[in-house]
Amino acid sequence: MRIGFIGLGNMGRHMARHLIHAGHLVTVHDARPEAAAEHLALGARWAETPADCAQDAEFLITMLPDPRVVETVLLRGGAAEALPAGALWIDMSTSTPAAAERVAAEVLDARGVRRLDAPVSGMARGAEAGTLQIFVGGADDDFRIALPVFEAMGDPDRVLHVGALGAGYTVKLMINLLWFSHLVATSEVLAMGVRAGVDLGVLRNSLLASPAASNFLENDIMCVLADGDYDDSFAMALACKDLGLAVDLGRDLGVSTELSALVEQIYRRSKAQHGALAGEMSPVRLYEALAGREFRLPSPAAALDATTVTV
């Protein structure tokens, strides 16, 4: 298949590489030409502009930072106008239905270009391993046509058709919103427990043995507890962007967002204190400061060896 791929950042560079390895004819474009070096070495073609990347594509995949950039690339960058009639635009960015609808209304609908929204979950390490979960919104026929493309980039068992156009964007925003909320709630609990004198490993195992257990507490936060890694692969600027999109969506839908708005404020405070490029788990550092110590287990093995508590 002839695939144009725009956006070779922390996620997109891996995704495009998997498509090349799968045997697809891939043309790539990024605002930073040097980002395409590994893809060109593998046989991909370089496109000087978004329009060049789209002009012969059966599928155009965009993996971009935010809705504003999506619209810029598709409209002012000429990609939408360059797509052949009958092509399929697959936006895998964390974006909004409104942005895609504006592109469709201005250009795509009149040209007979179809579209899917297909944002992903799994972080940069999932993109590198080809194990992403992909949430696809759009027509069932278009989903089935694009399925081999998705399976080349993600876990085939976790490529999910979640509904009509826009559903993929919405599901991804809700996943991110809940994950960020888990981070804040978990950090607050750990800070209080540790400040009260409970051993960190014992507290964590107690929580895991209780109805309050979560995947975040069991797996995701271990990069902080074991290695002091706040996940620089996803920047605070992007996390705050996603939270803003989710809160805005809730308000547009008439759904109360008090808790989500508070989580967004905490993330923005961390961004101001730790920097826009700090890792997405940097808000943990706010609670480490309140606890008066870093949240660290002596080693990954120590987390397993800590006293097991059953409830």
Side-chain angles (χ1 to χ4, degrees):
M1 298 178 182
R2 298 189 309 278
I3 300 173
F5 198 107
I6 300 177
L8 303 173
N10 284 335
M11 302 286 286
R13 67 187 183 94
H14 299 300
M15 296 160 67
R17 188 180 66 250
H18 287 305
L19 292 173
I20 298 167
H21 285 313
H24 298 293
L25 302 176
V26 180
T27 299
V28 295
H29 175 78
D30 191 271
R32 301 166 300 113
E34 64 273 15
E38 63 177 315
H39 309 89
L40 302 186
L42 292 172
R45 186 178 76 87
W46 169 251
E48 290 290 341
T49 67
D52 290 341
C53 195
Q55 64 181 353
D56 294 321
E58 297 173 88
F59 300 88
L60 177 66
I61 297 174
T62 46
M63 186 62 177
L64 299 166
D66 57 50
R68 178 188 59 81
V69 179
V70 171
E71 290 189 66
T72 296
V73 166
L74 268 291
L75 296 176
R76 288 180 287 284
E81 187 69 36
L83 276 169
L88 182 61
W89 170 41
I90 304 172
D91 186 23
M92 305 189 77
S93 318
T94 300
S95 186
T96 62
E101 287 165 5
R102 284 191 290 270
V103 173
E106 288 197 36
V107 179
L108 298 184
D109 289 344
R111 295 178 53 79
V113 172
R114 299 161 296 148
R115 59 188 172 100
L116 294 170
D117 48 284
V120 304
S121 181
M123 304 182 182
R125 60 179 176 265
E128 184 174 10
T131 58
L132 292 171
Q133 188 168 11
I134 304 175
F135 309 96
V136 187
D140 186 64
D141 287 348
D142 293 336
F143 169 72
R144 294 186 183 281
I145 290 170
L147 189 56
V149 174
F150 294 136
E151 290 180 340
M153 295 181 285
D155 180 348
D157 292 331
R158 299 199 301 163
V159 177
L160 305 178
H161 186 205
V162 297
L165 285 169
Y169 291 134
T170 301
V171 168
K172 177 57 193 308
L173 286 175
M174 297 304 97
I175 289 170
N176 282 12
L177 175 59
L178 187 57
W179 193 89
F180 296 138
S181 299
H182 275 303
L183 181 144
V184 170
T186 300
S187 300
E188 187 172 291
V189 165
L190 293 182
M192 286 191 287
V194 167
R195 190 66 183 258
V198 181
D199 176 81
L200 178 62
V202 171
L203 176 59
R204 176 175 172 272
N205 281 350
S206 300
L207 293 168
L208 289 174
S210 79
S214 69
N215 181 71
F216 181 88
L217 183 63
E218 183 173 5
N219 296 307
D220 294 342
I221 200 171
M222 281 305 298
C223 63
V224 174
L225 302 186
D227 303 318
D229 177 6
Y230 298 92
D231 190 18
D232 292 343
S233 69
F234 194 81
M236 283 295 296
L238 294 176
C240 290
K241 178 266 299 182
D242 289 355
L243 277 163
L245 293 176
V247 169
D248 288 346
L249 179 61
R251 290 172 179 158
D252 291 344
L253 296 171
V255 176
S256 177
T257 60
E258 290 100 334
L259 177 59
S260 302
L262 180 57
V263 172
E264 182 188 8
Q265 289 176 28
I266 292 168
Y267 258 80
R268 292 196 181 281
R269 178 154 52 93
S270 178
K271 176 187 169 187
Q273 184 167 331
H274 303 122
L277 298 181
E280 65 178 329
M281 300 185 78
S282 292
V284 175
R285 298 163 69 182
L286 298 175
Y287 293 91
E288 290 176 330
L290 293 174
R293 55 162 287 189
E294 293 181 329
F295 298 153
R296 299 289 186 273
L297 297 170
S299 68
L304 299 175
D305 294 339
T307 303
T308 301
V309 178
T310 57
V311 177

